Amino acid sequence: MIPKRTFHDRVIAPSLLAADFSRIGEEVGRAVRAGADWLHLDVMDGHFVDNISFGPDIVQAVRLTTDLFLDVHLMLSRPDHYLQRFIDAGSDLITVHVEADHDVANTLRAIRQSGLQAGLALNPATPLSTVEPFLDQIDLLLCMTVVAGLGGQSFMPEVLEKIAAAAQIRRTRNLSFHIEVDGGIGAVTAARCAVAGANVMVAGSATFRMPDMAAAITAMRMA
Ligand code: DX5
Ligand code: ZN
């Protein structure tokens, strides 16, 4: 009998940022065939972070090619202003940053009222206390393991402590949000994050840029 997957089974979410943008559709297919659980889409506005990646049209294009769970990470100064466009594009979960310029509780509420799951992200330097008031309003907490803005950076081990503290609060407050990590994640760092309490592993370089994505995803799941 195949054991039933539970809420906190490890989820592997390849980040499209590391894919070949000239053939997005095929790249999504490659991730699906390699065993991706979710697809992570990094939206950058050139203001909240320096980089500009892609917007709702690309999210919609991806949606049209796959039924896979779309985990949309908004690195935008005004996520509230752009929210509806990403909802309409077919996102399944939208994550906004606590450091951005918006009423965080309102934005999270708007995401959930649209029937989507809501995520809240914090950068490595941002203390956990900033997200604590919102933990009962989220489906996912994204603990950035690099400073948001760029793929291919090195994992910051100092974030492990914050992940463990978030998992502890989740236990004591009897909550059930996912804990996601993003940045410098591969098999070794995924294992360290899982021990600390994370269960959603976002990886760009360690998936799309590997010669064998299926093997890379399996390694991240098992490590
Ligand atoms: C960084 C992005 C990440 C990035 C991860 O701001 O949020 O999702 O794509 O890339 P790697 O896995 O290459 O560190
Ligand atoms: Zn991301």
Side-chain angles (χ1 to χ4, degrees):
M1 204 180 97
I2 301 163
K4 197 172 167 289
R5 287 175 67 92
T6 59
F7 185 78
H8 290 305
D9 276 345
R10 214 178 282 185
V11 171
I12 312 298
S15 167
L16 204 64
L17 197 60
D20 178 350
F21 282 9
S22 70
R23 32 194 291 283
I24 289 277
E26 291 153 60
E27 289 288 77
V28 172
R30 189 157 71 96
V32 171
R33 286 191 301 277
D37 300 297
W38 295 2
L39 205 58
H40 185 83
L41 288 90
D42 286 303
V43 180
M44 305 176 175
D45 67 355
H47 188 262
F48 181 72
V49 295
D50 189 58
N51 207 7
I52 298 175
S53 57
F54 50 78
D57 290 350
I58 294 290
V59 177
Q60 188 176 15
V62 169
R63 173 81 298 159
L64 293 174
T65 71
T66 183
D67 291 333
L68 207 63
F69 188 92
L70 299 185
D71 167 29
V72 176
H73 177 192
L74 298 185
M75 285 164 269
L76 309 178
S77 291
R78 287 294 310 275
D80 53 339
H81 181 73
Y82 292 100
L83 193 58
Q84 193 59 45
R85 304 179 209 194
F86 289 95
I87 293 168
D88 295 342
S91 311
D92 291 295
L93 182 151
I94 295 181
T95 295
V96 294
H97 270 263
V98 72
E99 305 93 347
D101 179 17
H102 62 131
D103 181 327
V104 175
N106 266 347
T107 307
L108 294 172
R109 199 174 308 118
I111 297 171
R112 280 184 154 183
Q113 275 172 357
S114 302
L116 275 66
Q117 294 187 39
L120 188 58
L122 73 174
N123 266 312
T126 306
L128 192 61
S129 56
T130 60
V131 300
E132 280 195 48
F134 311 109
L135 294 180
D136 55 356
Q137 276 180 261
I138 61 171
D139 301 287
L140 177 145
L141 180 71
L142 168 50
C143 294
M144 291 301 302
T145 41
V146 300
V147 178
L150 218 59
Q153 305 180 72
S154 298
F155 177 77
M156 296 169 66
E158 56 268 39
V159 181
L160 289 167
E161 226 173 281
K162 182 155 62 180
I163 296 165
Q168 177 63 39
I169 295 174
R170 183 175 59 183
R171 261 191 305 276
T172 52
R173 289 176 55 181
N174 202 20
L175 297 167
S176 60
F177 54 84
H178 292 286
I179 298 179
E180 178 176 69
V181 285
D182 182 5
I185 300 296
V188 173
T189 49
R192 294 178 72 187
C193 292
V195 168
N199 71 298
V200 183
M201 312 297 167
V202 174
S205 312
T207 55
F208 282 104
R209 302 271 163 95
M210 298 302 268
D212 184 345
M213 202 197 304
I217 288 178
T218 302
M220 250 178 280
R221 209 187 290 290
M222 309 307 259

